[in-house]
Amino acid sequence: MMFRPVFCVSFLLLLAVLASAQQRPLITDDVDITPEGAVEVGVGVDFFQNAKFPLSGLKGDLTRVGDIRVRTGFSPNVEFQVEGVIQNFLAINSQTAVSPVPLNITGNSTNDVGDFTLSAKFKLRNETSNLPAVGFKFGFQMANTDQAKGIGTNQNNVFGKVIVQKRFGRSAGKVPLLNVYGNLGLGIMTAPLERFTQNDVLLYGLAGIFRINEHVNIVSEVNGRASTRSGDAPLGTESVSQFRIGTQIRASGLRFDTAAVLGLTRFSPRTGVVFGVTYQTPAIFTPAK
């Protein structure tokens, strides 16, 4: 796995987080749980240059419209999440290899729905003055994509990860200035071309949000997966990783976000930029006891 500048990680450790799980524009999970009965909805648009799709061999510029994240709390320590992309649009620049699967593409572009993920997150222990909060998340990615479109792999994958989180520093209003959290887990990815074969990948993330004032946060992370295969990973299960840095701005009851993205591995997009907005409702239902 060929990582670009190590300074990204060093910079992240200096920057790192404030408040709530998988906050846009980050993709690393934190331990915090959405309030019981409330629903948090995040919607965004992402642009990635030089995105790679090894299964189809396609490379190009990817636009993701409707990057949706929905979270709802069922108890003080349990949260349910749904994530996915309504539509992916790929402007094809090249095809590096002949696709081993038949493609149904006309012209120099293609589009497809994204794979949606259903998951549950559990807060296992609260943070103390000396020890971090700990949580666990598990879920599965559904096979919603059509491999003939050249963007997805149309496979079911499952994952589980441990989450740790620690806040540092207090402002005059007793709000943490820095909240650092990380993920470490295992994903089981079905190999699209090999029967009875899977690739167990290491999932990791280190993220943070630094509070500038009550309306503005600086956010940053390194997030990805690493193949555990000693040789080449099965097509569609390669190691990918990215570095993100951006901002969150709170205004009018909404949280607006944007971030720049830098790919860190061979199969990651080269660069990108993401935009989004998040709204959390008041409690709209009473969870069963």
Side-chain angles (χ1 to χ4, degrees), residues 15-286:
L15 250 186
V17 176
L18 172 100
S20 180
Q22 215 182 12
Q23 293 187 43
R24 287 197 53 89
L26 305 180
I27 53 178
T28 301
D29 288 279
D30 75 7
V31 177
D32 295 330
I33 301 295
T34 303
E36 288 183 80
V39 178
E40 182 176 286
V41 180
V43 181
V45 178
D46 308 334
F47 304 93
F48 296 107
Q49 290 184 310
N50 198 26
K52 296 100 171 172
F53 302 91
L55 181 62
S56 63
L58 298 180
K59 295 175 61 177
D61 298 330
L62 177 67
T63 301
R64 307 199 310 170
V65 178
D67 178 8
I68 297 175
R69 309 181 192 182
V70 180
R71 305 164 43 212
T72 184
F74 284 96
S75 76
N77 64 332
V78 179
E79 177 181 282
F80 179 72
Q81 301 179 3
V82 180
E83 310 156 49
V85 179
I86 294 178
Q87 199 67 208
N88 292 301
F89 297 91
L90 179 66
I92 302 171
N93 294 333
S94 64
Q95 186 168 8
T96 58
V98 176
S99 174
V101 297
L103 298 180
N104 180 18
I105 297 174
T106 303
N108 60 355
S109 65
T110 183
N111 64 281
D112 193 13
V113 67
D115 291 320
F116 275 72
T117 299
L118 304 179
S119 58
K121 185 177 67 175
F122 302 88
K123 188 174 188 178
L124 302 179
R125 60 159 289 146
N126 291 319
E127 179 182 344
T128 67
S129 58
N130 297 319
L131 297 175
V134 178
F136 180 76
K137 178 178 177 179
F138 73 90
F140 70 96
Q141 183 183 63
M142 298 183 292
N144 302 119
T145 54
D146 180 357
Q147 72 281 359
K149 297 295 185 180
I151 299 176
T153 61
N154 195 19
Q155 301 293 316
N156 291 309
N157 304 312
V158 298
F159 67 89
K161 62 178 76 171
V162 175
I163 311 167
V164 294
Q165 176 179 315
K166 190 75 174 73
R167 293 176 171 85
F168 301 92
R170 297 281 172 174
S171 66
K174 304 301 182 181
V175 177
L177 295 176
L178 182 64
N179 180 357
V180 181
Y181 55 88
N183 302 168
L184 188 64
L186 178 69
I188 300 176
M189 303 187 69
T190 305
L193 299 178
E194 304 174 35
R195 296 184 64 188
F196 311 115
T197 302
Q198 66 189 39
N199 188 12
D200 299 333
V201 296
L202 177 70
L203 306 176
Y204 60 89
L206 176 62
I209 305 169
F210 181 76
R211 180 184 174 89
I212 301 299
N213 55 48
E214 61 179 321
H215 298 292
V216 181
N217 298 329
I218 301 296
V219 304
S220 186
E221 74 176 348
V222 170
N223 185 282
R225 69 173 188 246
S227 172
T228 60
R229 291 290 186 98
S230 57
D232 292 336
L235 286 176
T237 68
E238 297 81 4
S239 299
V240 294
S241 182
Q242 58 181 242
F243 170 75
R244 292 190 178 200
I245 181 169
T247 61
Q248 296 175 334
I249 300 175
R250 301 176 188 274
S252 303
L254 301 172
R255 187 176 70 236
F256 300 91
D257 66 80
T258 184
V261 181
L262 174 66
L264 300 177
T265 61
R266 174 186 173 191
F267 295 102
S268 304
R270 184 176 60 204
T271 56
V273 60
V274 301
F275 305 92
V277 60
T278 301
Y279 172 69
Q280 185 178 105
T281 72
I284 58 176
F285 69 93
T286 303

